[in-house]
Structures are given as structure tokens and as C-alpha cells.
Amino acid sequence: MMIRTTEMTYRFLLVASLLFAPFVCATPTETIKQNGLELNLFYGKRSTVNAYLFSDGKELILLDALDSVDDALQLKTLIDQQQLPLKQIFISHGHPDHFTGLAVLNRAFPNADIVVASEGIKQELIGWANWMTERGWMHISMIPKSEKAPRGFDYERLIKVTSESQLAFDSGKTLRIDRGNLPTETVHYAMLYSEDLYGLFMGDLASNKVHLWLGEGVDAQSLENWQTLLAVITKRYQSTGVIIYPGHGKPAPLSLLREVSQYIDVFKFAIRTGGNQGAVQTKMMTLFPDYSESGYLPFGIEQHLVIQTAKTDD
């Protein structure tokens, strides 16, 4: 979702996430150990968003901070159980479902740096926080610090931009940072790659059994860019046995990226041939019956039907 999302859209998504929460992610965590690194996968209960906790046995690095205070508190418990210092909290991109738990984690682990991979990600994150605050949707703990809210969350001071090519443990273990600034599901984003875990952590560039956000902010060119990027990543990692760790849904083999690209193809075909919004949505629901977050569909369909109509008129 991009910051231009309408108030009605965001209000619907908030309600939908609460309505479907009981059915999402019955198992909150999984653990993988390999080549001196341990990975704890945390699946948010309020929605399908994931957080990933890395350990080298001496310290911890966290990828993303979930979309609710309740989930962040449970994640804090998981971190406490490790009995190791949290070194960094790395935020993959600026969407609120990946950073709303930051205040909880910052209070619990004040020595952990909050890090993003580019100034673009930081500014998108701050923009979302201000936009949500203006509409009364931001949790009180994440309201930006200002003259009106002097005790608010100090995004400018607390969020640091790194220009490094990797996140590094003191032991020498590393997580490589791959940056992107080509509009896809979002404009600015970062992926992490772990050679030790044979894992690529893709944020919202990949989802597993979750409907993609294709609404406001994701235009026809964004879809093309997205599919091109997925093809490039597939070619780069096709002989490595890499595991894809998505921003939403369970980990999967590299073939997940082909499934994501095929989903986009099906969506584009449905838009071209489906006719009205209801018919397109029925087609997508029929073809992807086991996908969660179906509440995203109407907004993507509405936007791209408008785009398709404009092309036809031209």
C-alpha cells in the first residue's frame, strides 16, 4: 500500500484485519538453525505480516516490527527468551504493518539501533506515520514527536539510515542488504540475504498464499517492474537452493516468485477480460480460493479497471 491510499480504503483494511485475525497464523513461531545462525520466524496474529529474528548465539538482529502493539509485545517475549542483546531492528520498507510495533520494542530494547537501508525508506515511513496520525489511526505509542506531541515517537532521531552493504554480527556473520528504488509494490525497499541460511528475505516483494496489494500506488508500470524484478531474482538464485522468506505468508522455494508473477499475470488478464468489478473479483477468488487478505482485491480491481478503461478510450 502506498501513502496515497484513500481514507475509506485504509479504514476498510483496518476492519478487515481485525475480522480475519482469529484465522491467521495459529503457530506464532518457527526456528531454523544452520551454519552458526539461528532464525526465529514470528507470524503476526492480527494479520499475515512476518518478523524475522536472527541470532549468531551472541547477539540478535530483528527484521521488521509487525503491525500491532499486541503482536510486538509477543515478539518482545520471544526476544527476551533468547537472553541475548538485540543489536539492530532493520525495517525493510515504509509500510505501517512492518513498523507499528517499533515503540514497544524501542522501550524494551533501547540499545538496539533502528535501521533502514535508504533515506527514501525513512521518509516514506515518516510520511505514513504522519498521515495515519492526522486521521487518528496511529497507535498512541507511534504518534510522531512534535510540538503538539512532545512525548511522541522521535522518528527523525531514532531511525538511522545505513549505507553499508550488510548487517554484521560482531562474530563476523553477516546479512547482505539488497536495495531497490524502482516502483513495484512500493518505491523504496530492501531485501536481506543470508548465505548461512540460504535465505532471501524479500519483504512485500513476495507473498505466499496472500493476495497482493495492487491498489493505489501500484500502477500498470509498477506491475511490469515487479515482474521484471522477480525474473531477475529468479535467474540470479536459480542454482543456489535459496529459500524465499516473504513479508506475508510462509517461507517457500524460489518457485514462489514464479507463482507471484503468475498471480500478477492472472490479475492483468482478469482486468482485461472480466468486465465489471464484481466479475473480476469472483474470478480472482475462484482461481485463488486458499489465499488470505481478500479484502485487498476490490481496491486493486477498481484502480486497474480505471487504468484499463483509460487505455481503451485512448
Side-chain angles (χ1 to χ4, degrees):
M1 293 175 292
M2 298 294 289
I3 197 166
R4 295 189 298 275
T5 305
T6 64
E7 294 187 21
M8 182 177 68
T9 297
Y10 197 83
R11 191 181 302 277
F12 178 91
L13 295 178
L14 285 175
V15 172
S17 69
L18 293 174
L19 287 176
F20 288 102
F23 301 96
V24 177
C25 302
T27 303
T29 63
E30 296 177 20
T31 302
I32 297 170
K33 296 181 181 180
Q34 199 162 271
N35 297 325
L37 275 187
E38 178 176 304
L39 171 65
N40 279 276
L41 298 76
F42 187 96
Y43 302 110
K45 289 186 175 180
R46 173 172 152 171
S47 70
T48 57
V49 69
N50 302 334
Y52 297 101
L53 183 65
F54 303 89
S55 170
D56 68 346
K58 297 181 179 179
E59 55 189 351
L60 306 169
I61 293 176
L62 175 66
L63 171 59
D64 287 337
L66 303 170
D67 72 340
S68 76
V69 168
D70 288 343
D71 278 348
L73 288 169
Q74 292 189 45
L75 179 56
K76 171 191 175 298
T77 299
L78 173 64
I79 296 171
D80 286 336
Q81 291 171 350
Q82 307 302 304
Q83 297 184 335
L84 296 171
L86 180 62
K87 181 177 184 179
Q88 291 174 319
I89 303 170
F90 184 83
I91 303 300
S92 61
H93 63 289
H95 292 169
D97 55 339
H98 292 262
F99 73 75
T100 302
L102 275 177
V104 168
L105 298 173
N106 179 249
R107 284 197 301 268
F109 310 105
N111 294 324
D113 288 334
I114 301 171
V115 180
V116 295
S118 70
E119 185 65 29
I121 294 175
K122 179 174 180 176
Q123 293 308 316
E124 285 186 353
L125 192 154
I126 292 172
W128 264 108
N130 285 322
W131 185 82
M132 291 179 67
T133 298
E134 289 170 0
R135 287 152 181 81
W137 296 337
M138 180 59 79
H139 188 275
I140 189 171
S141 66
M142 291 301 295
I143 292 175
K145 183 176 181 179
S146 66
E147 291 185 3
K148 293 183 178 180
R151 300 179 66 180
F153 192 79
D154 194 344
Y155 290 82
E156 289 287 357
R157 180 180 65 85
L158 291 173
I159 297 175
K160 301 178 180 179
V161 177
T162 180
S163 60
E164 298 294 329
S165 62
Q166 60 189 20
L167 304 178
F169 293 95
D170 291 343
S171 65
K173 296 291 183 181
T174 61
L175 304 168
R176 191 184 73 214
I177 302 172
D178 293 336
R179 296 169 171 84
N181 297 299
L182 191 65
T184 54
E185 199 264 357
T186 185
V187 177
H188 303 281
Y189 51 86
M191 298 176 286
L192 294 180
Y193 175 72
S194 169
E195 185 174 0
D196 293 302
L197 296 167
Y198 307 111
L200 182 62
F201 298 79
M202 293 189 63
D204 283 358
L205 293 170
S207 295
N208 188 3
K209 304 297 183 184
V210 178
H211 287 287
L212 303 178
W213 175 261
L214 302 175
E216 292 187 38
V218 183
D219 60 16
Q221 186 59 57
S222 297
L223 295 182
E224 297 299 325
N225 296 341
W226 197 343
Q227 290 183 292
T228 298
L229 179 60
L230 293 174
V232 169
I233 294 172
T234 297
K235 184 176 181 180
R236 181 184 304 162
Y237 290 98
Q238 61 187 356
S239 62
T240 65
V242 70
I243 298 297
I244 300 299
Y245 292 90
H248 299 259
K250 294 294 186 77
L254 184 62
S255 58
L256 174 64
L257 303 192
R258 183 173 65 250
E259 294 176 18
V260 174
S261 188
Q262 289 172 343
Y263 178 98
I264 295 173
D265 276 334
V266 171
F267 177 82
K268 291 191 292 188
F269 179 78
I271 291 294
R272 290 197 304 270
T273 63
N276 60 47
Q277 182 167 336
V280 175
Q281 178 156 341
T282 298
K283 181 175 290 188
M284 293 298 292
M285 295 283 286
T286 300
L287 292 172
F288 301 97
D290 56 344
Y291 276 44
S292 62
E293 305 294 0
S294 60
Y296 292 167
L297 280 172
F299 308 104
I301 293 169
E302 181 180 10
Q303 163 149 315
H304 287 273
L305 281 177
V306 170
I307 294 172
Q308 181 66 27
T309 301
K311 286 183 178 179
T312 303
D313 292 342
D314 290 343

